[in-house]
Amino acid sequence: MPESPTCVASKFWHLAPPELCTRLGCSLQGLTAAEAAQRLDRFGPNSDAPPRVEGAARAILRRLLEPLSLILLVAGIISMLTGDEIGGLIIVLILVLSIGLDTIQEGHAVRAAEILRRSVALKAEVRRDGIFREIDVDHVVPGDLLRVRAGDIIPADALILESTAFTAGEAALTGEPYPVQKRAGPCADADDTSNALFRGAVAQTGEAIALVADTGRDTVFGAAASALAEMQAPSPFERDLREFGFVVARATLALVLVVLTVRVVFGRPVMDSLLFAVALAVGLTPELLPMITTVTLSRGALRMAGRKVIVKRLAAIHDLGAMTVLCTDKTGTLTSAQITLARSLDADGKDDVRAARLGAIAAELGGDRGSLDAALVAGQPNAAQGWSLAGRQAFDFSRRLGSALATGPEGALLIVKGAPEAVLELCTTQRSGVMDDDARTAAMARVHQLAAEGLRCVAIASRPWSGATREVETEDETGLIFEGFCAFADPPKPTAAAAITRLAESGVSLKILSGDDPVVVKRLAGLVGLNAERVLSGADIAELSDEALAVQVRSTDAFGRLAPDQKSRIVKALQAGGEVVGFLGDGINDAPALKVADVGLSVDGATGVAQAAADMILLASDLEVVADGVAEGRRTFANILKYVRMGASSNFGNMLSMAAASIALPFLPMLPTQILLNNLLYDLSELGIPFDRVSAQATAQPQVWSMSRLVRFAAIMGPLSSVFDVLTFVALLFLFKATPEEFRTAWFVESMATQILVIFIIRTNGRPWRNRPDPALAASSLIALLVAMVLPFTPLGTWFGFVTPPPVVMAAIALLVVLYLACAELLKSFAIRSARKR
């Protein structure tokens, strides 16, 4: 019976192959299809723990328990129980539209993310029933015999049994862009993992056959994936939206209780007062806020898809717009992750092409075809012309060098390349003289100087070969002539500096969080225009408390040699300082930070763990795409804020006036069904908001939900609406001596006209005639206004209790509406400036 992978996962690379086979209950010949099927049932698929996806019933219940939905639900139940079936039906219709559309739109986004995940599904080559065959990565099980070749993504943690010049890029795990040698055999020490393959790494050269020890969540980095199974904490936008819901709920409850109590105390009919209070509660509630929010976010998600961004969590669109700090990994995001030959130096440190030319000959004829060899060949594409390979010594990572015996224009020449300290020890001369200890010290000083410039060095040495050509032995690599250094760079992307400047201009600062050498990170930070004076390393951060780290991160833009948990500590420290933090990463080591960030960004082609942890997936790994997404997020939030502002001004003002009138007047100022009709038509008028245009001024800086600003805006614009309502009341009662039916009809018309037309004023911070609305918003608003203006004068209006007012009354109403809109335009700028100033 095989052991649980969890038991095996404890440093399986310390085990000999027979011992690991015993623990796994398998042989070194691979599994049969039947054995593999049994193990798949026992251990589960080789995949990350998927994020919890709630079903439709749970999604509907969650939305139903939101404060705004609960108000409508209670109001609908009371209306039904008190015999107001029409009012209850309207309330239920509003509730169903809001929750239903919200659920459907979010479901579309989840399915789109799943389609993306399937489109990047990988294959693995395993030995089943005695032959190697390709299977889905999800079907790899412990005990499988795995064959990995150059270019493959390693699908599981495995112990190497055989290897040929095999190297793996573990940037997804460690952040290091350079390859690591992997070979069969026992570990050299407790920290040596050169005989192990880890899920998520990429095979760069050669071929290896390995025994799968752990899969899925039981891999070394399975903890990162398991953390994703936890429910996502509410985002800043979701928290703010919920807080706004509670504020509205408290205000509604207080106003309704006051109106109901006062009317009952004054001896008004209890049932009429209750129905009126219920209708008032519905009128005060921005019941379509969830729907407006979801449709707006969905529209934003579609536009962002056109900008190469797949949105997995709709609320993250707002969070991206609210982002004030973007933390990003270095490799593959700021840099191209493609090693290039930057310089070729002779033994004295002067630019000379000979070292690169000899290195390219060795790389093309007898190299391991890794990224460094590829960079040498690309830098000197015709260097090997006229040369042929006579023998080679494969690169040995324990000795940190390799060699090639080439014959050509200079005769037979042994070319050795490798780590500077390893090659220099084998050199006895250089072109300018003897290679003594002082010369070696000077050469290593140049290596450190180049490292400070972000360059990695490979030393090149040679010696003429005498005698017959043959395979090169270790003892042949002596008495060498030091030729010089080849310096390599992982250069920044051409668009990186411009994108960082663009983000800075829009109020988003950038910080590099890398697992690479702090010296390299400092150099890169300087190249892309960041503050490179100071780089904090993982060792520095380990000595800081959370409070001290929160202070240090404010003035530091670059961090190096970070462990995965230290990246998440930095994100939390920034959040503790009030920042809205985004994190862009593509490796397993980035998953913890992606999880805790306010908005997590990954890329297509990133590890499955990183994609699962992210809120958005970039189809192009470029900061320009992030900058585009930030602008789209702010545009989306600006449209959501329009709805909230409109409700906080005209809608709230009208309901406040209605509450006051119901107490002062001997009759109801508007029947419950008329209030519900008013509210429904007003909400329908705003359905075009998600499609509306947004000015550049509104997206220039991070958009943060401010409850105090909303309250102050409502405190200015709401009473303005109430003032004109009072003027309408006075005119109808004392000037025109209107009957209750005429009063209700005239005020319904005035209320609808002011609420709908003020949309065109509040939707923009500037003058409405300079920033015209989208045709969709203009159409939805004007159609709703037309219905409201015509309905009272039709037979259907009688059913709602309307009558036809005298023409002079309608003329007076039109005049009041024009005066109100003019005052709203004048006070709007003051309300916005007041909110900003405070």
Side-chain angles (χ1 to χ4, degrees):
M1 190 73 169
E3 287 190 24
S4 165
T6 305
C7 301
V8 177
S10 180
K11 298 187 177 181
F12 63 86
W13 51 93
H14 290 171
L15 305 177
E19 185 180 357
L20 181 57
C21 283
T22 300
R23 293 198 179 191
L24 292 171
C26 65
S27 72
L28 294 175
Q29 305 305 312
L31 303 173
T32 66
E35 289 173 333
Q38 291 175 355
R39 288 170 183 253
L40 188 62
D41 289 338
R42 175 177 173 78
F43 299 131
N46 178 34
S47 59
D48 304 319
R52 295 179 185 174
V53 180
E54 50 184 9
R58 187 179 182 86
I60 292 172
L61 181 62
R62 173 171 58 84
R63 289 168 172 81
L64 198 59
L65 295 178
E66 288 293 324
L68 301 182
S69 298
L70 285 175
I71 293 174
L72 294 177
L73 183 62
V74 172
I77 292 173
I78 293 175
S79 295
M80 292 289 189
L81 293 177
T82 54
D84 185 14
E85 291 83 2
I86 296 175
L89 185 62
I90 295 176
I91 295 172
V92 170
L93 176 62
I94 294 172
L95 189 60
V96 169
L97 282 173
S98 176
I99 293 178
L101 186 56
D102 196 12
T103 305
I104 292 170
Q105 291 292 344
E106 190 169 77
H108 286 326
V110 171
R111 284 192 291 274
E114 179 63 16
I115 290 171
L116 174 67
R117 188 190 69 81
R118 291 175 181 173
S119 70
V120 295
L122 303 175
K123 298 287 185 180
E125 193 177 6
V126 299
R127 189 171 184 176
R128 297 275 175 88
D129 297 322
I131 60 172
F132 280 99
R133 62 182 63 176
E134 276 196 350
I135 63 170
D136 289 338
V137 166
D138 288 356
H139 293 167
V140 175
V141 295
D144 261 328
L145 207 60
L146 180 70
R147 180 159 68 187
V148 186
R149 310 178 197 229
D152 292 345
I153 296 178
I154 296 170
D157 288 2
L159 181 70
I160 297 177
L161 304 179
E162 304 173 23
S163 66
T164 305
F166 188 80
T167 61
E170 296 186 339
L173 314 178
T174 65
E176 293 282 2
Y178 298 100
V180 180
Q181 188 216 17
K182 297 291 182 177
R183 51 161 180 75
C187 301
D189 54 54
D191 296 325
D192 181 20
T193 59
S194 60
N195 63 347
L197 303 180
F198 295 106
R199 179 172 172 236
V202 180
Q204 293 205 349
T205 65
E207 180 178 316
I209 294 178
L211 178 63
V212 175
D214 297 304
T215 58
R217 284 175 286 177
D218 296 310
T219 56
V220 170
F221 292 92
S226 297
L228 303 178
E230 301 173 4
M231 289 299 292
Q232 181 80 28
S235 71
F237 177 67
E238 290 166 335
R239 291 194 299 268
D240 292 339
L241 198 61
R242 191 173 184 83
E243 180 187 354
F244 175 72
F246 280 119
V247 169
V248 172
R250 287 194 291 268
T252 301
L253 182 61
L255 188 59
V256 166
L257 288 177
V258 169
V259 170
L260 184 60
T261 302
V262 172
R263 282 185 60 84
V264 171
V265 169
F266 284 3
R268 309 290 167 77
V270 176
M271 190 58 66
D272 286 348
S273 300
L274 179 60
L275 290 176
F276 180 82
V278 167
L280 195 62
V282 175
L284 283 168
T285 305
E287 60 275 348
L288 290 191
L289 179 60
M291 182 174 72
I292 293 289
T293 299
T294 302
V295 174
T296 306
L297 292 174
S298 298
R299 288 280 303 171
L302 289 174
R303 284 191 294 264
M304 292 181 76
R307 296 188 176 192
K308 299 183 178 180
V309 181
I310 298 296
V311 179
K312 291 173 57 183
R313 183 172 61 87
L314 287 179
I317 297 175
H318 161 268
D319 299 335
L320 187 62
M323 180 175 67
T324 57
V325 176
L326 173 63
C327 299
T328 177
D329 191 14
K330 174 180 72 70
T331 306
T333 50
L334 291 176
T335 69
S336 59
Q338 294 179 348
I339 310 302
T340 60
L341 177 64
R343 297 184 67 185
S344 176
L345 308 174
D346 64 13
D348 295 324
K350 300 176 182 177
D351 289 324
D352 191 311
V353 76
R354 179 174 174 79
R357 184 165 55 81
L358 292 178
I361 292 170
E364 187 166 348
L365 297 180
D368 57 14
R369 299 295 179 182
S371 56
L372 295 178
D373 279 351
L376 280 169
V377 173
Q380 295 288 318
N382 299 314
Q385 188 173 353
W387 292 82
S388 60
L389 182 67
R392 71 187 290 265
Q393 173 90 317
F395 190 90
D396 186 340
F397 273 72
S398 62
R399 298 190 308 126
R400 303 180 67 195
L401 54 85
S403 57
L405 176 57
T407 58
E410 296 184 27
L413 189 66
L414 178 66
I415 305 172
V416 178
K417 60 183 176 69
E421 54 271 28
V423 173
L424 289 172
E425 287 297 322
L426 302 176
C427 295
T428 56
T429 60
Q430 53 183 331
R431 293 291 172 184
S432 59
V434 178
M435 193 70 186
D436 55 16
D437 289 342
D438 290 340
R440 291 188 183 91
T441 301
M444 288 305 299
R446 281 192 287 276
V447 171
H448 295 313
Q449 180 182 354
L450 290 167
E453 298 175 8
L455 302 177
R456 176 173 176 174
C457 286
V458 168
I460 307 294
S462 70
R463 75 171 176 84
W465 183 272
S466 59
T469 56
R470 56 176 171 78
E471 283 299 322
V472 182
E473 303 294 340
T474 302
E475 52 268 23
D476 294 323
E477 299 170 336
T478 55
L480 303 177
I481 303 169
F482 176 48
E483 299 285 1
F485 294 118
C486 293
F488 300 89
D490 182 16
K493 291 184 176 180
T495 58
I500 291 172
T501 300
R502 181 180 167 192
L503 286 169
E505 289 173 349
S506 62
V508 180
S509 60
L510 187 133
K511 297 183 184 294
I512 303 176
L513 275 57
S514 175
D516 210 343
D517 191 316
V519 175
V520 177
V521 175
K522 181 175 182 178
R523 172 66 175 172
L524 175 66
L527 290 175
V528 297
L530 297 177
N531 177 14
E533 294 181 2
R534 182 186 182 202
V535 178
L536 281 180
S537 69
D540 298 328
I541 291 172
E543 297 177 357
L544 296 176
S545 66
D546 290 343
E547 293 76 13
L549 181 60
V551 174
Q552 295 294 333
V553 295
R554 297 176 192 168
S555 57
T556 305
D557 286 346
F559 303 81
R561 286 278 185 245
L562 296 178
D565 65 310
Q566 290 174 328
K567 292 185 178 183
S568 58
R569 274 194 71 198
I570 292 172
V571 171
K572 291 177 181 178
L574 289 166
Q575 290 170 328
E579 306 287 357
V580 178
V581 184
F583 187 91
L584 173 59
D586 59 0
I588 294 175
N589 61 325
D590 297 321
L594 285 166
K595 182 71 175 178
V596 301
D598 295 309
V599 55
L601 303 163
S602 188
V603 295
D604 184 17
T607 61
V609 173
Q611 286 194 5
D615 302 308
M616 297 181 181
I617 298 175
L618 311 182
L619 299 183
S621 181
D622 196 315
L623 287 180
E624 283 288 347
V625 177
V626 179
D628 289 342
V630 167
E632 192 57 56
R634 292 177 183 177
R635 172 183 175 176
T636 300
F637 178 67
N639 278 337
I640 293 172
L641 191 60
K642 290 176 186 178
Y643 176 84
V644 176
R645 277 184 177 177
M646 292 168 189
S649 56
S650 59
N651 196 26
F652 180 75
N654 281 341
M655 292 301 111
L656 189 63
S657 303
M658 196 173 300
S662 69
I663 296 173
L665 296 177
F667 56 87
L668 287 176
M670 202 178 289
L671 298 177
T673 52
Q674 293 171 345
I675 296 175
L676 294 175
L677 177 63
N678 177 302
N679 200 47
L680 180 60
L681 288 175
Y682 177 61
D683 284 328
L684 292 176
S685 72
E686 295 178 305
L687 288 180
I689 288 177
F691 308 92
D692 196 22
R693 303 184 181 105
V694 175
S695 66
Q697 179 187 2
T699 60
Q701 292 297 317
Q703 301 263 355
V704 180
W705 188 293
S706 173
M707 195 62 61
S708 59
R709 287 184 179 183
L710 286 175
V711 170
R712 285 192 294 269
F713 187 86
I716 294 173
M717 301 302 290
L720 174 65
S721 176
S722 296
V723 166
F724 277 87
D725 286 334
V726 171
L727 291 176
T728 303
F729 298 162
V730 171
L732 291 174
L733 290 174
F734 301 106
L735 183 59
F736 300 111
K737 310 295 183 181
T739 65
E741 291 76 16
E742 290 175 342
F743 183 97
R744 293 168 186 149
T745 304
W747 190 35
F748 176 86
V749 171
E750 185 267 353
S751 174
M752 292 305 305
T754 54
Q755 286 184 93
I756 293 176
L757 290 176
V758 82
I759 289 175
F760 299 102
I761 292 175
I762 296 178
R763 58 167 291 276
T764 175
N765 292 350
R767 300 305 180 195
W769 51 88
R770 294 175 183 169
N771 183 8
R772 296 179 181 177
D774 186 88
L777 177 59
S780 65
S781 300
L782 294 178
I783 290 173
L785 179 61
L786 180 63
V787 172
M789 296 299 100
V790 172
L791 182 64
F793 305 98
T794 65
L796 187 61
T798 306
W799 187 65
F800 281 99
F802 295 127
V803 296
T804 302
V808 66
V809 171
M810 298 307 298
I813 293 297
L815 177 61
L816 287 171
V817 168
V818 171
L819 291 174
Y820 165 73
L821 294 176
C823 292
E825 174 61 22
L826 292 174
L827 277 181
K828 174 191 68 176
S829 300
F830 173 74
I832 294 173
R833 284 198 304 269
S834 174
R836 287 178 178 171
K837 183 178 178 180
R838 297 187 189 184

